[in-house]
Amino acid sequence: MRGTTPRGHWWLLGSLLTVFLLALFLATSVIRGVGAAGTSQSQGPDDLVPGSVSGGGPVVDARGAAPISSAVRPGTVALTFDDGPDPAWTPQILRLLAAKQVPGTFFVIGEHVAEHPELVRAETAAGHQVGLHTFTHVDLATAPVWRVQLELAASRAVLAGATGRSTALLRPPYSSTPDAVGNRDWQAIQRTGALGYLNVLSTQDSLDWEGGQVDDIVRQAVPPAGQGAIVLMHDGGGDRSHTVAALGRFIDTLKARGYRFTTLTQAVGLPPQSAPVPRLERWYGAALIELLRAAFPVPTTAAWLLATVAVLTAVRLLLLAVAATAHRRRTDRQALPDPGLPVSVVVPAHNEEATIAACVRALLDGGCPGVDVVVVDDGSVDGTAAAAAAVADPRVRVVTQPNRGKPAALNAGVALAAHDVILMVDADTVLAHGAVARLAAAFTDPGIGAVAGNTKVANRAGLLPLWQHLEYVMSFGLERRLFDLFGASPTVPGAIGAFRRPALASCGGISADTIAEDTDIAMALCRAGWRVVYRSDAHASTHVPTTVRELWHQRYRWAYGTLQSIWKHRRSVTERGTAGRLGRRTLPYLLLFQLALPLTAPALDAAALYGLAFGVSPAPAYTWAAFSLAQLALAAHALRQDRQSLRHLWLVPLQQTLYRTALCLVTIHALVSAALGAGPHWRNHTAPRPEARVVPAAV
């Protein structure tokens, strides 16, 4: 089978994870300000602050060689509001200002502008001035230079996108009056001045951010008699109901005393500090707003997704652990098999010259003397047929046919089989002694139509085969135990599975409708009323892929074939009996835990690493560590149940990241192919179909 190279899919997954991480970075580090200094510091020393600043007015222009402080004109008040816009409080303040016919100056946080650009447009449309208050309310006195530049650039961009205008007004977060400026504050003023910004402090802090009573807010906002003031209030950042209630009373009080309300620049005698931006800059700002608004829900969505994944993973681990113990107890109570039951074995083979002889000899020496072996060479171009015939045993028949695909080869072998219990074995598989008899013993129950055996990895040299060994024991083995307890196993593995001839006949034999014939036939048997069970004590060793490309092609075929089979047998959801158990127990498990859940695994890993790297939240990392330990414990439990060595347990954490990510890519590939109707095929199904030809056994 030819398949798509996995390289493009690694690029696809890498691109998706990059977008996911960038959205997390925007929504947590850039938007929420994680990793930056986010709290105010004490003033500290102020010996470097010029006297013209510490003893001057509240508006400091450090854009030139020497700083210039501008004082507020006597009898003039400029109302300023920080931390908005806020959808709860900003509209109320705008309505109150309009009713009182008073202008204001709003120092907006870029993050909130991106969330509510319509509120900033309402502020400018009403004639109010707008200044910047950084993007995430970061303390400019302690933030690194790159952070200061990023904060102001992002704030300028979203303001341009929302209003089409720029502003030079900047109020540093956590700032106060001029006499409270320390050395670090002065350094920040110099930096932002060099970037073209006019720093705006205040003369009267209403302290509304402390949550005081209305009377206290009004009292603290009122300037000394006859003096002008820049009054600091807030329209965001918390519950501002007291601010709204105090604002009207404050305005009325000062108007009664003869004060005049103006914009900030008018209050200090400066020209407006706003100007239209070029069209390209506005487009850029608008695009940034849309990007940020798309990123806002990512952390919450990711948190819910990861919580859901955590719960589902915990449920799966618990189910598998319980199923392993319960199934082991059931197996221990099973009677010893009768080696005298007649069994036919069908071995389809295509270019299996290297392994076919070992497979056939293991069948003949497996403790079932009456075994009848039919090897079907499906159009091999090597010496497969000759190697099988060289075993030279009268119980072995070798037939050849043109390449018609595995289902056709199996059906040809079934037609030639001598007995009603038919074992199907892949040509690269070696059965353990007694496995044939154990599978055959299950058919003493007349309701059983098929029995799945326990497949082990034969070639365990190398990292990739060892990961598959752990997967065969942890995932395949435990899930088959669980499906057996469900009463509807969805797969009889091609490596080792036995069937009752009448059961096969009731389903029309092995179908070529899907490329996962072992899954298709198991589901078909369940829908026909037959039980499909699992014998964990019937072991077989098979060879697994040793390269990523081989593994990719195999798992792609499995995943796509599983999708085909689920779709083909979807009506079992409404059926009764064994078919109903398949439709309402097994199929939902397959869809949820084998198709949907694996898709989220790389996102969980990425979120955990991101949380650790950026200090956003340790919760994803703790969750990842907890489930890695749980997987480790489950792996140890599964290996002990299957009497396997524990010496490869150290590979489980890596398997749960690198290997699991590769399987996620395969699942994505299969889902996309299924959606496009462009799936793979099993070798050649269109070749002519002459009768099979018997090859004489060697003498």
Side-chain angles (χ1 to χ4, degrees):
M1 181 192 74
R2 295 180 62 85
T4 307
T5 174
R7 180 176 301 173
H9 298 79
W10 284 108
W11 279 107
L12 172 63
L13 181 65
S15 300
L16 292 175
L17 288 179
T18 299
V19 171
F20 174 69
L21 290 175
L22 283 175
L24 274 181
F25 180 72
L26 281 174
T28 56
S29 292
V30 174
I31 298 174
R32 306 301 176 193
V34 173
T39 59
S40 62
Q41 306 291 326
S42 59
Q43 177 182 348
D46 59 0
D47 55 293
L48 300 180
V49 182
S52 60
V53 173
S54 60
V59 178
V60 182
D61 188 350
R63 294 175 291 188
I68 301 173
S69 293
S70 300
V72 184
R73 294 172 176 175
T76 303
V77 174
L79 283 172
T80 63
F81 302 91
D82 289 5
D83 295 353
D86 184 287
W89 311 115
T90 302
Q92 296 185 49
I93 290 176
L94 287 174
R95 287 193 295 269
L96 186 56
L97 293 177
K100 300 292 185 180
Q101 296 184 339
V102 170
T105 302
F106 292 84
F107 289 96
V108 295
I109 293 178
E111 171 192 353
H112 298 162
V113 173
E115 288 180 304
H116 308 288
E118 72 286 351
L119 294 180
V120 186
R121 286 193 287 268
E123 291 169 354
T124 57
H128 303 295
Q129 287 187 332
V130 174
L132 302 183
H133 199 44
T134 74
F135 198 86
T136 65
H137 205 271
V138 67
D139 188 352
L140 297 179
T142 57
V145 174
W146 69 267
R147 182 73 192 214
V148 172
Q149 295 172 340
L150 176 63
E151 290 273 336
L152 297 181
S155 299
R156 174 188 171 91
V158 294
L159 182 63
T163 66
R165 301 186 69 83
S166 65
T167 181
L169 298 178
L170 169 67
R171 170 166 283 160
Y174 310 109
S175 62
S176 182
T177 55
D179 59 356
V181 174
N183 289 343
R184 286 181 298 188
D185 303 310
W186 170 238
Q187 185 181 41
I189 290 173
Q190 289 179 302
R191 287 175 179 171
T192 55
L195 295 173
Y197 290 95
L198 190 68
N199 281 264
V200 179
L201 306 177
S202 62
T203 62
Q204 302 297 130
D205 188 348
S206 68
L207 299 180
D208 59 341
W209 49 273
E210 290 185 345
Q213 297 301 310
V214 172
D215 291 341
D216 295 331
I217 295 174
V218 173
R219 177 176 49 81
Q220 288 154 167
V222 173
Q227 294 185 10
I230 293 179
V231 179
L232 170 60
M233 291 185 173
H234 295 79
D235 66 325
D239 182 357
R240 301 307 176 203
S241 57
H242 287 182
T243 302
V244 174
L247 180 60
R249 188 185 304 178
F250 171 75
I251 293 173
D252 292 340
T253 299
L254 265 64
K255 279 187 174 181
R257 297 181 183 181
Y259 280 88
R260 184 170 61 94
F261 288 89
T262 69
T263 62
L264 186 140
T265 54
Q266 289 173 337
V268 295
L270 293 176
Q273 300 295 307
S274 176
V277 298
R279 182 175 299 178
L280 183 61
E281 188 173 342
R282 183 167 189 174
W283 287 349
Y284 167 74
L288 180 60
I289 288 175
E290 294 305 316
L291 176 63
L292 293 171
R293 296 182 78 173
F296 284 135
V298 169
T300 302
T301 303
W304 279 103
L305 175 64
L306 296 180
T308 302
V309 170
V311 171
L312 291 177
T313 304
V315 169
R316 178 178 177 269
L317 293 178
L318 183 61
L319 282 174
L320 294 180
V322 171
T325 302
H327 197 273
R328 177 63 184 274
R329 291 172 180 171
R330 175 192 290 185
T331 303
D332 290 343
R333 292 195 299 267
Q334 288 175 340
L336 293 175
D338 177 7
L341 289 174
V343 178
S344 289
V345 183
V346 176
V347 185
H350 180 81
N351 294 337
E352 302 285 359
E353 179 182 7
T355 60
I356 186 65
C359 174
V360 173
R361 291 192 184 96
L363 291 169
L364 297 176
D365 299 336
C368 193
V371 69
D372 162 53
V373 180
V374 180
V375 177
V376 182
D377 181 0
D378 187 44
S380 298
V381 294
D382 61 0
T384 297
V391 176
D393 191 291
R395 294 171 293 176
V396 178
R397 288 173 288 164
V398 181
V399 297
T400 62
Q401 64 179 28
N403 181 216
R404 294 160 55 188
K406 189 176 182 181
L410 289 171
N411 287 328
V414 169
L416 296 171
H419 306 300
D420 282 345
V421 174
I422 301 172
L423 175 63
M424 298 181 185
V425 177
D426 285 343
D428 61 351
T429 301
V430 175
L431 269 64
H433 185 83
V436 176
R438 290 186 176 92
L439 292 172
F443 291 101
T444 54
D445 184 339
I448 292 178
V451 185
N454 190 346
T455 310
K456 303 297 178 189
V457 173
N459 53 325
R460 302 181 189 178
L463 188 59
L464 198 59
L466 283 174
W467 277 341
Q468 293 174 80
H469 161 60
L470 293 172
E471 180 190 22
Y472 271 60
V473 176
M474 287 175 56
S475 183
F476 299 161
L478 294 183
E479 285 184 336
R480 283 172 185 153
R481 287 174 167 86
L482 178 63
F483 295 143
D484 197 14
L485 296 178
F486 279 175
S489 295
T491 301
V492 178
I496 175 172
F499 298 84
R500 193 186 298 273
R501 186 191 295 272
L504 285 173
S506 69
C507 298
I510 305 297
S511 172
D513 291 344
T514 74
I515 59 170
E517 70 288 331
D518 49 0
T519 299
D520 184 16
I521 186 60
M523 292 184 179
L525 289 171
C526 290
R527 295 190 68 191
W530 297 94
R531 287 170 53 210
V532 178
V533 300
Y534 174 59
R535 284 294 298 244
S536 59
D537 56 351
H539 294 178
S541 297
T542 189
H543 287 76
V544 296
T546 56
T547 66
V548 173
R549 183 178 296 275
E550 291 173 352
L551 178 67
W552 181 277
H553 293 164
Q554 182 199 63
R555 298 311 174 86
Y556 173 47
R557 179 168 50 83
W558 288 5
Y560 190 88
T562 298
L563 284 170
Q564 288 180 310
S565 300
I566 290 173
W567 180 253
K568 177 180 178 180
H569 299 287
R570 64 191 183 278
R571 299 187 188 280
S572 61
V573 174
T574 61
E575 295 172 347
R576 297 178 178 272
T578 306
R581 290 192 290 273
L582 172 73
R584 292 186 292 276
R585 297 180 187 178
T586 304
L587 295 191
Y589 182 96
L590 293 176
L591 287 170
L592 189 60
F593 293 112
Q594 290 193 5
L595 295 175
L597 191 60
L599 297 180
T600 65
L604 177 61
D605 297 338
L609 292 174
Y610 177 83
L612 286 177
F614 289 91
V616 176
S617 170
Y622 290 156
T623 302
W624 183 88
F627 281 109
S628 294
L629 290 175
Q631 290 280 6
L632 196 64
L634 183 66
H637 183 59
L639 290 168
R640 288 180 64 86
Q641 290 282 325
D642 234 10
R643 297 184 174 89
Q644 299 291 308
S645 171
L646 302 181
R647 62 192 180 95
H648 296 126
L649 272 178
W650 65 274
L651 291 171
V652 171
L654 285 176
Q655 187 211 39
Q656 292 302 308
T657 52
L658 300 177
Y659 185 75
R660 183 178 57 180
T661 301
L663 295 186
C664 166
L665 281 173
V666 176
T667 304
I668 293 174
H669 187 183
L671 288 170
V672 172
S673 297
L676 298 177
H681 299 282
W682 180 267
R683 300 189 180 108
N684 179 22
H685 291 289
T686 59
R689 299 191 176 189
E691 293 298 322
R693 180 173 63 86
V694 178
V695 176
V699 178

